[in-house]
Amino acid sequence: MASHPSIPDIVIGRLPIYLRALNQLMQQGKTITSSHELGQRLGISSAQIRKDLSHFGEFGKQGTGYQISHLQAQLKQILQVDREWQMIIVGAGDLGRALAHYRGFVSRGFRVVAAFDIDPARLGKSGDVEVLHTSQMQDFIKQHNIKIAMIAVPAENAQEVCDQLVAAGVRAILNYAPITLSVPNNVHVQYIDPVMHLQRMTYYLE
Amino acid sequence: MASHPSIPDIVIGRLPIYLRALNQLMQQGKTITSSHELGQRLGISSAQIRKDLSHFGEFGKQGTGYQISHLQAQLKQILQVDREWQMIIVGAGDLGRALAHYRGFVSRGFRVVAAFDIDPARLGKSGDVEVLHTSQMQDFIKQHNIKIAMIAVPAENAQEVCDQLVAAGVRAILNYAPITLSVPNNVHVQYIDPVMHLQRMTYYLE
DNA sequence: TAGATTGTTAATCGATTAACAATC
DNA sequence: TAGATTGTTAATCGATTAACAATC
């Protein structure tokens, strides 16, 4: 139901961008928008936005455009963020704690329910999030049926942590360690590495 | 010299991935690799890697492959990270401080030289990095000829901060605020929004 | 109605891949 | 030499865009 097999991944990748722009328009008090307005804001052609959306249904009205609240609800449903996903964080260093404290998850469909670290000095509450010992991680994942994890450990330990997560049932990993992980086909990985973004920009500088 | 105008941006975006993989191979003590080995690790075809590299020159040897140290040096030069770029961080909340403490920048060509915040309670040293008041930001950028900044302020303030950065001379921005920024054509922006990555994966879950 | 914008088709554009001569 | 791998060309594949009938 939720996933149509033939939709290109690159299209899926743009849906969160559209959703975020709709949130912003809504906060500005707008109720209606058009593919043209959306495209202008995002630097994407209006044709592409209409084409992308047409993979999933007809959400607009000729002559008028899109009702923001409706399109927003539809995109949330398509992306399956019309619910709340429970996540864990592995690694409670600076980055892991910053993620644990981040206020922006809940309003967009995600909740950090625990963090894990091997260093006993880091255990206990960090903000609202309990930091537990890594030895409890796999049991926790199984008991709470956790499907999503964020990896915020040093690069040297990331693959090992990843293997443990996958073995326990995690199916989506957001990896902050600067290495490419190897995972089975049924596990999804996304990467966040600020240095790669910076290196991409320095090419163009001067 | 550094930037050939006709090379597709998507190719530039893969160079940092190759560079990171080479770092990893080198750490494992390897000295030679091939497009096939590299591709296998990264989930990219060997043909694509060779094609990408061919935009910039001939870095391999038939029958042998690539000398890792040489290819690494070449990629660093192409990306202009064979030097050290000075960066600033705007926003010294959890995220800004985590970035200020991050040890992974220097070895890959970047150094955080200051952070800025409007909250007087956050000023002073945070690890090795001095947090200054935002009112001093534009002077600092001009004096130190800063070209790169990271934005780690709330979404509501991000566009305003961005405008100030651009006006002072910043030409590359790594934006952690979950909004699309509007900038002149000669300014580069990259976005990091963990929620967008998560939403991209939930589409495929279940 | 007149104006605007959708959803969709067909054309264009660009990126990826397969294949192979060159050569280490 | 025999085996391997590059750099490059041509073919394929897929994504983007232009254009427009439909229609609100």
Side-chain angles (χ1 to χ4, degrees):
Chain A
M1 175 115 318
S3 62
H4 189 296
S6 73
I7 295 167
D9 183 59
I10 197 164
V11 172
I12 305 303
R14 280 192 293 261
L15 299 186
I17 302 176
Y18 301 157
L19 183 53
R20 202 175 71 170
L22 291 171
N23 292 162
Q24 221 182 327
L25 285 167
M26 187 161 245
Q27 273 185 347
Q28 291 169 17
K30 296 209 162 209
T31 57
I32 299 279
T33 189
S34 66
S35 59
H36 181 75
E37 180 179 47
L38 223 38
Q40 192 115 50
R41 291 198 165 225
L42 297 172
I44 290 176
S45 80
S46 62
Q48 179 158 84
I49 292 175
R50 294 199 301 279
K51 187 92 202 294
D52 284 352
L53 296 177
S54 75
H55 285 101
F56 304 97
E58 307 189 356
F59 306 120
K61 255 203 187 82
Q62 282 103 325
T64 310
Y66 302 91
Q67 198 191 331
I68 292 173
S69 60
H70 179 246
L71 185 52
Q72 196 181 42
Q74 294 293 313
L75 287 178
K76 281 185 184 178
Q77 193 174 47
I78 292 163
L79 290 169
Q80 301 203 87
V81 289
D82 55 347
R83 70 195 73 175
E84 186 174 277
W85 292 89
Q86 298 196 323
M87 299 188 294
I88 62 168
I89 299 170
V90 195
D94 285 317
L95 176 60
R97 285 198 302 272
L99 288 171
H101 297 172
Y102 182 52
R103 299 273 147 206
F105 286 128
V106 170
S107 64
R108 295 164 76 195
F110 301 90
R111 183 181 297 276
V112 176
V113 292
F116 296 89
D117 205 291
I118 40 164
D119 182 352
R122 289 178 174 169
L123 308 188
K125 277 267 176 190
S126 176
D128 290 344
V129 176
E130 185 83 31
V131 182
L132 304 171
H133 194 267
T134 308
S135 59
Q136 299 174 59
M137 186 174 78
Q138 292 190 306
D139 281 347
F140 187 96
I141 290 168
K142 288 171 192 162
Q143 267 176 35
H144 293 78
N145 196 29
I146 302 292
K147 293 296 166 202
I148 308 177
M150 296 188 279
I151 295 181
V153 302
E156 306 83 74
N157 311 313
Q159 182 63 58
E160 182 195 3
V161 162
C162 172
D163 294 342
Q164 290 172 14
L165 291 169
V166 171
V170 165
R171 288 294 169 264
I173 294 171
L174 183 54
N175 177 34
Y176 280 85
I179 62 159
T180 302
L181 297 173
S182 106
V183 293
N185 279 333
N186 62 341
V187 176
H188 298 268
V189 183
Q190 291 276 304
Y191 296 90
I192 290 185
D193 178 354
V195 175
M196 291 208 356
H197 289 280
L198 293 168
Q199 289 180 337
R200 188 175 182 155
M201 293 192 286
T202 51
Y203 173 81
Y204 297 102
L205 289 184
E206 266 188 343
Chain B
M1 174 116 317
S3 63
H4 189 297
S6 72
I7 294 167
D9 184 58
I10 197 162
V11 172
I12 304 304
R14 280 191 293 262
L15 299 186
I17 302 176
Y18 301 157
L19 183 52
R20 203 174 70 171
L22 291 171
N23 293 161
Q24 222 181 326
L25 285 167
M26 188 161 244
Q27 274 186 347
Q28 290 169 17
K30 297 209 161 209
T31 57
I32 299 280
T33 188
S34 67
S35 59
H36 181 73
E37 181 179 46
L38 224 36
Q40 193 114 50
R41 291 197 166 228
L42 297 172
I44 291 175
S45 80
S46 62
Q48 178 158 85
I49 292 174
R50 295 198 302 278
K51 187 93 201 295
D52 284 352
L53 296 177
S54 75
H55 284 101
F56 305 97
E58 307 189 356
F59 307 120
K61 256 204 188 83
Q62 283 103 325
T64 311
Y66 302 91
Q67 198 192 330
I68 292 173
S69 61
H70 179 245
L71 185 53
Q72 194 182 42
Q74 294 293 312
L75 288 178
K76 281 185 182 177
Q77 192 174 49
I78 292 163
L79 290 169
Q80 300 202 88
V81 289
D82 54 348
R83 69 195 75 177
E84 186 174 276
W85 293 90
Q86 298 197 323
M87 301 188 292
I88 61 168
I89 298 169
V90 195
D94 285 317
L95 176 60
R97 286 197 303 270
L99 288 170
H101 297 172
Y102 182 52
R103 300 272 146 205
F105 286 127
V106 170
S107 64
R108 294 164 76 194
F110 300 89
R111 183 181 296 277
V112 177
V113 292
F116 296 89
D117 204 291
I118 40 164
D119 182 352
R122 290 178 174 170
L123 307 188
K125 277 269 176 187
S126 176
D128 290 344
V129 176
E130 185 84 32
V131 181
L132 305 170
H133 194 266
T134 307
S135 59
Q136 300 174 58
M137 186 174 78
Q138 292 190 304
D139 281 348
F140 186 97
I141 291 168
K142 288 171 192 162
Q143 268 176 34
H144 292 78
N145 195 30
I146 302 291
K147 294 296 166 203
I148 308 177
M150 296 187 280
I151 295 181
V153 302
E156 307 82 75
N157 311 313
Q159 183 63 57
E160 182 195 3
V161 162
C162 172
D163 294 342
Q164 289 171 15
L165 292 169
V166 171
V170 164
R171 288 295 169 265
I173 294 171
L174 184 54
N175 178 33
Y176 280 85
I179 63 159
T180 301
L181 297 173
S182 107
V183 293
N185 278 334
N186 61 341
V187 176
H188 298 268
V189 184
Q190 291 276 304
Y191 296 89
I192 291 184
D193 178 355
V195 176
M196 291 206 357
H197 290 280
L198 293 168
Q199 290 179 338
R200 187 174 180 156
M201 293 192 286
T202 51
Y203 173 81
Y204 297 102
L205 289 185
E206 265 187 344

